[in-house]
Every structure is written in C-alpha cells, then in structure tokens.
Amino acid sequence: MNTSLVVIPTYNEVESIGSLLDLLRTLAVDVLVIDDGSPDGTAQVCLAHGIEVISRSGKMGLGSAYRTGFAIALERGYTNVIEMDADGSHQVEDLIRMMEWIGTNELLIGSRWVADGAIKNWSKFREYLSKGANAYANLLLSLDVKDTTSGFRIYSADLLRRMEVATIKSEGYCFQIEMTRRAIARGGSVGEIPITFIERAHGQSKMSAAIALEAVLRITSWGLLRLIGR
Ligand SMILES: Nc1nc2c(ncn2[C@@H]2O[C@H](COP(=O)(O)OP(=O)(O)OP(=O)(O)O)[C@@H](O)[C@H]2O)c(=O)[nH]1
Ligand SMILES: [Mg+2]
C-alpha cells in the first residue's frame, strides 16, 4: 500500500501554515512539520490543527530540517516522502497532480521550468537567480534536470534509503541540488511535473546572500572534482 508523509520545514510561517494544513487535510497523506522554534507561534498553529511538530531549539537550516524529517519518515515505514514549503508558494492542487505520477519515477520534481510550469509574482531578479542557478548546476554537473532547486518533490522511500540522506551536507536551497545529484548517482529516476509557483504573500523570505553563495561554492567544487575525475 502507498503511504505518504508530507514533511514541511517552517520558520515564521504563521500567516500561511494554517490554510496549507487545512488543504492537506483533504488528501490521503500524513503531515509532519519541522519547526525551528519560530518566535511567531507557527508550531502552536500546527498543534492546534492536530499536526505533529518536531520543535527544534533554533533556526538550524532547511537541509538539517529535511534530514530530520526524512529519517523519521523512513523509520516509520512510509512508502513516499513529500517535500513542500509552508509559505504558500507550493499549491496543493499541484501536489494532487504530482501524486498521480507516483510509481513512474522515484523522484518527482514539481518544476517551474518545464513546459506548462509557471511562476507568479516573482521579481525578475528571483527568476534570473533561479534560472541562473539551474543553468550553472546543469553546466557543471550535467544533471539534465530543469528545476534542480525546486523544494516541491516526492521521493520514493526506497530511493531515499539508497541516498543515505544523513550524509548530505548542504543547508540552503543547495540542499535540493545536492539531493538531485545524489538521487541520480544512486540510480534514481527523475521526472519533472509542471507546477505553478506563487511568490509568498506573507512573511519573510529566508533567501540570503549566504545561501546563494553556498550554492555557487558547492556547485563549483563538485564541478571541479568531476572534471578531475573524483
Ligand atoms: N525548520 C526550518 N525551516 C526553514 C528554514 N529556512 C527556511 N525554512 C522553511 O523552508 C521553506 C522554504 O523557505 P523560504 O523562505 O520560502 O525560502 P525560499 O523558497 O528559497 O525563498 P522565498 O520563497 O523567496 O521566501 C519555508 O517553509 C520556510 O519556512 C530553517 O532554517 N529551518
Ligand atoms: Mg519560498
């Protein structure tokens, strides 16, 4: 039987988490929130919705939040693990469509940059940053994936187990690129499904220069190591 756990990392998403949880309630999925001690009371809203929350003491990064959530999902024996942002950028109607493809590929990526994928309300700067990161990662790493930075994904548990996620090092959105690489390296098949990504209407972006720099440095060093055959 197919069982899915949606893992949602949160930091100060009090204005958007409630409506997301209400929509997810209509799907045959379990939900686990990994909250990093959000001072705005995000965890309390989740608990009031009857959702399980792993509360960590402080902001420890997206990568470590997912590593924690994935380990719990595998321990509990789910067959699929879903990644989704809490800021309203990822739509539940897209998740419903993505779930129809479970079984076709071990990693399904909700993609902005395939035909019929779309972005709404994003600044040109963010669009170029995302497209630039994807172009750079594909050039250096030959991933052949249009949206390697997307955080809207479904992994089969079998693939996640093979990926040994505990050893993934990235913390910012580079986590998604490193996970894509590892998935392919461990023989995972990847499919991209078009989504409409909508810029957050509330709360603050956690995107920063440090996060973008982490991606550039890691992609460059992986590319160089590839070049010298390591
Ligand atoms: N637990 C945890 N969650 C985080 C952390 N950083 C970001 N998140 C959550 O991860 C998801 C994605 O973060 P965003 O701030 O939307 O980052 P982004 O999508 O790259 O940037 P914007 O969409 O422009 O805001 C959201 O649900 C955040 O609340 C963190 O350090 N710890
Ligand atoms: Mg976001």
Side-chain angles (χ1 to χ4, degrees):
M1 202 181 87
N2 259 325
T3 53
S4 300
L5 181 69
V6 186
V7 178
I8 307 177
T10 57
Y11 190 75
N12 285 347
E13 303 290 5
V14 76
E15 285 158 300
S16 49
I17 189 73
S19 52
L20 173 62
L21 296 178
D22 286 338
L23 287 170
L24 286 174
R25 212 195 293 275
T26 64
L27 272 54
V29 294
D30 290 339
V31 177
L32 176 67
V33 169
I34 314 289
D35 183 69
D36 280 1
S38 298
D40 71 353
T42 299
Q44 286 75 2
V45 172
C46 298
L47 293 172
H49 276 74
I51 296 295
E52 185 183 3
V53 179
I54 303 295
S55 285
R56 308 196 304 171
S57 56
K59 194 168 181 308
M60 292 158 72
L62 188 74
S64 86
Y66 272 128
R67 285 190 289 274
T68 300
F70 291 166
I72 293 171
L74 294 183
E75 207 179 278
R76 294 185 184 172
Y78 287 95
T79 56
N80 301 287
V81 187
I82 297 169
E83 273 188 15
M84 195 169 183
D85 288 354
D87 59 359
S89 290
H90 298 155
Q91 312 308 306
V92 170
E93 62 206 61
D94 283 339
L95 177 59
I96 294 169
R97 273 189 316 103
M98 286 167 69
M99 288 181 75
E100 287 167 6
W101 290 87
I102 285 177
T104 60
N105 284 288
E106 291 173 294
L107 167 55
L108 296 166
I109 300 181
S111 180
R112 296 161 284 196
W113 310 125
V114 291
D116 296 328
I119 46 165
K120 271 195 193 157
N121 305 334
W122 239 19
S123 67
K124 277 285 166 208
F125 174 72
R126 283 306 299 268
E127 181 178 339
Y128 291 140
L129 195 65
S130 174
K131 284 184 172 163
N134 273 295
Y136 192 58
N138 273 308
L139 180 73
L140 270 72
L141 309 173
S142 309
L143 297 171
D144 199 24
V145 171
K146 299 270 186 293
D147 200 347
T148 52
T149 57
S150 172
F152 197 6
R153 297 175 170 219
I154 305 178
Y155 288 94
S156 77
D158 282 348
L159 174 60
L160 271 187
R161 254 184 222 104
R162 301 202 305 274
M163 286 170 64
E164 298 174 288
V165 176
T167 62
I168 296 279
K169 293 196 174 67
S170 308
E171 284 306 341
Y173 72 76
C174 189
F175 175 78
Q176 309 299 354
I177 303 172
E178 189 173 358
M179 288 287 287
T180 309
R181 272 193 98 202
R182 180 71 65 87
I184 294 168
R186 299 290 160 95
S189 59
V190 182
E192 291 185 87
I193 293 157
I195 57 155
T196 298
F197 176 98
I198 306 178
E199 168 63 328
R200 59 162 74 243
H202 305 284
Q204 262 187 7
S205 172
K206 278 100 217 169
M207 172 61 116
S208 65
I211 284 175
L213 187 66
E214 180 198 30
V216 172
L217 293 178
R218 285 193 192 275
I219 294 168
T220 307
S221 74
W222 293 328
L224 289 173
L225 288 172
R226 248 185 110 226
L227 205 64
I228 60 171
R230 284 189 50 199

